[in-house]
Amino acid sequence: MSTYRDFAHRGSARATVLKTVGTKERRSHLSAPRVPTVGIDIGGTKVMAGVVDADGNILEKVRTETPDKSKSPKVVEDTIVELVLDLSDRHDVHAVGIGAAGWVDADRSKVLFAPHLAWRDEPLRDAIASRLVVPVMVDNDANTAAWAEWRFGAGRGEDHLVMITLGTGIGGAILEDGQVKRGKYGVAGEFGHMQVVPSGHRCPCGNRGCWEQYSSGNALVREARELAAADSPVAHYLLDRVKGNVSDITGPLITELAREGDAMCIELLQDIGQWLGVGIANLAAALDPSCFVIGGGVSAADDLLINPARDAFKRHLTGRGYRPEAKIAKAQLGPEAGMVGAADLARLVARRFRRANRRRVERYERYAQIYDQAASTIRNTRSTRTVD
């Protein structure tokens, strides 16, 4: 497909920018066009793009490193456009969905704030759409991941679902009756910044004691590095694995050692899981969902993390023993969930785009018919005058 390269230079005049999909997502996805769309997942370390079909299958995936956050927002936009252009050379792409790690406004047009990128009130949707000739949709990456799990993964069949993404921090999303609940200003689901320990660890958001400071990838690594830096006897095996370089301790390494039976690493994951369960119990008290889906990179620890979370959830649940307990399930789509969800949400926009195009074509055909009739009438009138 050469559409992008043929028209990208023509600028915003040829771009299509559509407003929010609205509140009819559940019904709309059933009748959305079964066309391939591109999903983009933008994180603090990588930008991943993939062509996704209507059944959630990834037809092709490409990725690159996220440009350094000190660079201008345009550098990240250039990266997104290049990935889309690359994929469009081999696929007939009808829309682009972007899942951004940050706060996205209610219209899903601006990234209000991105902690790992230099985006502040950044009109991302318009900036990308002005360079492409397909519709663009922007949403928070946790929202797109939750949508993907509801459509194709662990949340299928659930009408009240809460997604929790454990990565560098904690993200989240709420789906009720098949609709993503974004809140009045578009920033609902920032569960990671609920305060669970007054005057606790300082959080990059500016507050203290946020949930993600006790149950996230950063929290896991911080605790392990503190023990290693203190030359704790329980951390000797971990130090041996990194040859004494404390800065080389990572979340995946801790998970690997826990699977191998290292007692300290198992205990660290249990601590993270217990804090996860406490936060889930608080969310259950507020939202009362039927299912919690746990995703993000830290969830790769599987039962080493999920089982302690379930135990803590049962201990801290308000009204325990006298109310139904929500299911806690691990996400099924892995690190591609945000990308798949962004592509699927973009498919809803593609339907409107196709309808708008069809109406334009119909109007053009009507105008052309009227013009032809008028031209024919003029020719007939001239012919009659010539005969006279």
Side-chain angles (χ1 to χ4, degrees):
M1 173 184 174
S2 60
T3 304
Y4 293 102
R5 298 215 183 271
D6 291 342
F7 295 103
H9 68 283
R10 299 189 187 180
S12 59
R14 296 302 303 271
T16 300
V17 182
L18 299 183
K19 296 293 185 182
T20 177
V21 175
T23 60
K24 299 181 180 179
E25 290 164 333
R26 178 185 181 126
R27 184 174 60 195
S28 297
H29 85 270
L30 297 174
S31 56
R34 297 183 63 82
V35 294
T37 51
V38 167
I40 309 283
D41 183 23
I42 308 172
T45 58
K46 57 93 175 87
V47 180
M48 182 165 56
V51 180
V52 181
D53 69 14
D55 297 315
N57 299 312
I58 301 171
L59 305 181
E60 184 182 352
K61 180 177 66 175
V62 293
R63 62 177 292 165
T64 186
E65 292 183 358
T66 303
D68 187 87
K69 64 181 180 181
S70 65
K71 297 178 181 177
S72 70
K74 187 177 181 301
V75 177
V76 182
E77 294 163 10
D78 291 342
T79 302
I80 295 170
V81 170
E82 283 303 314
L83 291 177
V84 174
L85 293 178
D86 180 35
L87 291 169
S88 70
D89 284 338
R90 297 175 296 282
H91 301 273
D92 184 16
V93 175
H94 291 253
V96 174
I98 300 173
W103 293 358
V104 178
D105 71 353
D107 287 338
R108 283 181 280 176
S109 60
K110 290 183 179 181
V111 179
L112 301 175
F113 172 77
H116 305 295
L117 294 167
W119 281 340
R120 305 293 184 268
D121 284 323
E122 179 66 22
L124 182 62
R125 185 188 66 187
D126 293 1
I128 299 298
S130 68
R131 302 171 64 177
L132 303 174
V133 291
V134 294
V136 175
M137 186 282 308
V138 177
D139 208 338
N140 172 267
D141 59 347
N143 288 341
T144 62
W147 179 265
E149 291 292 339
W150 176 71
R151 287 275 282 125
F152 310 112
R156 282 177 294 184
E158 301 290 346
D159 283 341
H160 293 77
L161 177 147
V162 170
M163 177 90 177
I164 298 170
T165 57
L166 297 179
T168 303
I170 295 180
I174 307 164
L175 267 82
E176 184 176 331
D177 294 327
Q179 298 176 16
V180 179
K181 298 299 183 180
R182 298 178 175 85
K184 174 66 175 179
Y185 305 107
V187 297
E190 293 295 333
F191 308 136
H193 298 289
M194 300 185 303
Q195 188 183 53
V196 295
V197 180
S199 301
H201 291 295
R202 175 72 72 181
C203 181
C205 77
N207 294 327
R208 286 186 178 273
C210 291
W211 185 25
E212 69 175 37
Q213 292 303 305
Y214 300 88
S215 184
S216 66
N218 271 354
L220 179 66
V221 172
R222 182 192 66 229
E223 295 296 315
R225 288 180 176 177
E226 285 181 0
L227 285 168
D231 201 24
S232 170
V234 299
H236 281 176
Y237 184 51
L238 178 60
L239 275 170
D240 288 343
R241 285 293 295 267
V242 297
K243 299 179 180 179
N245 296 318
V246 174
S247 60
D248 290 340
I249 297 174
T250 63
L253 176 59
I254 297 168
T255 300
E256 178 186 340
L257 295 182
R259 289 197 177 111
E260 293 175 2
D262 182 74
M264 187 200 76
C265 292
I266 292 173
E267 183 178 343
L268 289 176
L269 283 168
Q270 287 175 339
D271 289 344
I272 296 297
Q274 287 170 6
W275 277 111
L276 175 61
V278 170
I280 291 175
N282 289 338
L283 290 174
L287 302 174
D288 191 30
S290 61
C291 179
F292 288 94
V293 176
I294 312 301
V298 182
S299 68
D302 298 321
D303 288 344
L304 291 168
L305 174 80
I306 302 296
N307 284 343
R310 290 186 178 123
D311 292 341
F313 171 68
K314 292 177 180 179
R315 291 198 308 272
H316 292 88
L317 180 64
T318 302
R320 51 193 173 276
Y322 297 95
R323 59 178 290 176
E325 292 182 5
K327 178 175 67 174
I328 299 176
K330 182 191 172 186
Q332 294 178 358
L333 301 182
E336 287 84 16
M339 181 185 73
V340 171
D344 198 61
L345 284 167
R347 192 167 289 107
L348 307 182
V349 182
R351 185 189 65 173
R352 294 188 171 192
F353 177 62
R354 285 155 67 93
R355 285 181 175 177
N357 272 351
R358 186 166 62 248
R359 286 194 293 268
R360 291 189 191 100
V361 171
E362 290 171 352
R363 285 198 300 269
Y364 174 80
E365 290 175 346
R366 287 199 301 270
Y367 294 153
Q369 185 178 14
I370 292 170
Y371 174 82
D372 290 342
Q373 290 174 348
S376 178
T377 300
I378 292 172
R379 286 195 298 270
N380 290 337
T381 300
R382 289 176 178 174
S383 177
T384 300
R385 288 177 179 174
T386 302
V387 172
D388 293 342

